[in-house]
Amino acid sequence: NSASRWSAQRVLDADPHLRARFDYRAALRDPTQPPVLLTGEMVYPWFSEDFANLKPLADVAELLAAKAEWPDLYDVEVLRNTTVPIA
């Protein structure tokens, strides 16, 4: 396992097309733009800057982003044997 190191942000930084599709500021400026739909797995370092309620948690968020000792998130064997469609 390894630290996420703000993986959602790193993916956006690496792909300008994808970054444009997830630019919430541009979507807010232009109501004709489609909304930016986020999932629970998308966490960005700027959340603590843009959301006042998260500002006090900025240091904790940095610690969590750097933490490498996490258990496996998914049980690959269970997913392999499921009858429910998965990506």
Side-chain angles (χ1 to χ4, degrees):
N1 292 339
S2 64
S4 70
R5 298 180 349 269
W6 302 112
S7 60
Q9 185 67 53
R10 286 186 291 113
V11 168
L12 290 184
D13 290 344
D15 185 338
H17 175 71
L18 191 59
R19 184 174 49 242
R21 291 194 58 210
F22 284 89
D23 186 348
Y24 78 100
R25 290 182 175 123
L28 289 173
R29 281 191 304 271
D30 183 356
T32 65
Q33 294 295 313
V36 175
L37 304 175
L38 304 176
T39 72
E41 294 180 0
M42 296 169 58
V43 180
Y44 299 98
W46 51 262
F47 277 8
S48 63
E49 297 167 13
D50 283 11
F51 301 104
N53 290 342
L54 297 179
K55 202 171 281 252
L57 302 174
D59 290 341
V60 173
E62 288 294 337
L63 289 172
L64 291 174
K67 180 178 169 61
E69 301 82 27
W70 293 101
D72 290 337
L73 184 58
Y74 304 105
D75 186 326
V76 174
E77 200 56 40
V78 169
L79 292 175
R80 187 175 288 123
N81 295 315
T82 187
T83 58
V84 177
I86 58 173

